[in-house]
Amino acid sequence: MDVFWDRGYHDASLPDLLEGMDLSRGSFYKAFADKRGVYLRALDAYIEDAIRTVGETLRSNPSPKAAIREAFSQQVHFSSGKEGLRGCFVVLAAVEMLPGDEEVSARISRLFRRLQDLYAATIIRAQAAGEIDSGLDERAFARFLVCQIQGMRVLGKAGADREETRAMIDLALKVLG
């Protein structure tokens, strides 16, 4: 994953992958059919980790509204400083591989839908608890949050600092009240 994340799919060579995975050429081909197979598995692993992490955070606080803030605030670390400069593997994949790669497109679209589902379910719980206005369209706001996070990740790659990123979060979540 790190090799593809740092170099992208097209610039990652087989020697780079062998070194990054600490494998011989023979072991590589026994474990994986080709470079593309490794790439898709790395992308899948990144996506599953992202879904698991966000899901755990959104379920970790008895206050759904506080859980949304916490999940969103975790993005400050990934969207600023050294981590921010690295960017997001999914954003890199989207920029490099889309629209031409249907398999990568399907994976990324599925990730965004799943993230939106997690946020929408948490918004619904917050509405039921009286923490968020029940008139707020949970699907539209969930899409907004996912878009905001991805935009923060891109700005982080361009060097956004932590305070700027926190200010974006505060503004985005002001709608929640």
Side-chain angles (χ1 to χ4, degrees):
M1 183 185 312
D2 287 334
V3 172
F4 289 123
W5 198 344
D6 292 338
R7 298 177 182 261
Y9 176 77
H10 295 296
D11 288 341
S13 67
L14 182 58
D16 294 332
L17 291 169
L18 295 177
E19 181 181 331
M21 298 170 74
D22 197 26
L23 290 175
S24 69
R25 189 178 292 262
S27 296
F28 176 87
Y29 285 113
K30 284 180 187 172
F32 308 101
D34 55 15
K35 173 180 162 179
R36 180 167 174 77
V38 175
Y39 180 76
L40 293 175
R41 285 182 60 184
L43 187 58
D44 288 343
Y46 182 90
I47 287 169
E48 288 309 311
D49 183 60
I51 293 296
R52 181 186 46 75
T53 301
V54 171
E56 287 173 359
T57 302
L58 290 174
R59 290 185 295 273
S60 69
N61 195 313
S63 164
K65 182 178 175 182
I68 292 169
R69 179 170 285 286
E70 176 60 26
F72 216 66
S73 295
Q74 287 175 355
Q75 296 302 316
V76 171
H77 173 73
F78 299 115
S79 302
S80 59
K82 184 179 177 183
E83 284 290 321
L85 291 174
R86 189 167 197 212
C88 172
F89 186 34
V90 167
V91 171
L92 173 66
V95 170
E96 182 179 18
M97 306 296 279
L98 303 183
D101 191 312
E102 290 181 17
E103 284 182 284
V104 173
S105 178
R107 282 169 164 81
I108 293 172
S109 294
R110 191 169 41 252
L111 165 67
F112 291 154
R113 273 193 314 276
R114 290 174 69 191
L115 287 172
Q116 289 170 23
D117 290 346
L118 288 169
Y119 280 107
T122 308
I123 291 165
I124 290 169
R125 286 195 331 270
Q127 289 170 325
E131 295 181 345
I132 296 176
D133 177 10
S134 61
L136 182 70
D137 180 335
E138 72 277 355
R139 295 301 304 172
F141 196 68
R143 279 190 300 280
F144 170 78
L145 290 177
V146 171
C147 288
Q148 181 66 31
I149 289 166
Q150 295 308 310
M152 286 169 36
R153 298 298 300 271
V154 171
L155 290 175
K157 187 130 178 91
D161 71 25
R162 291 196 193 286
E163 292 312 309
E164 290 172 339
T165 305
R166 279 191 185 96
M168 285 185 274
I169 290 171
D170 290 340
L171 184 61
L173 296 182
K174 211 173 215 175
V175 173
L176 297 178

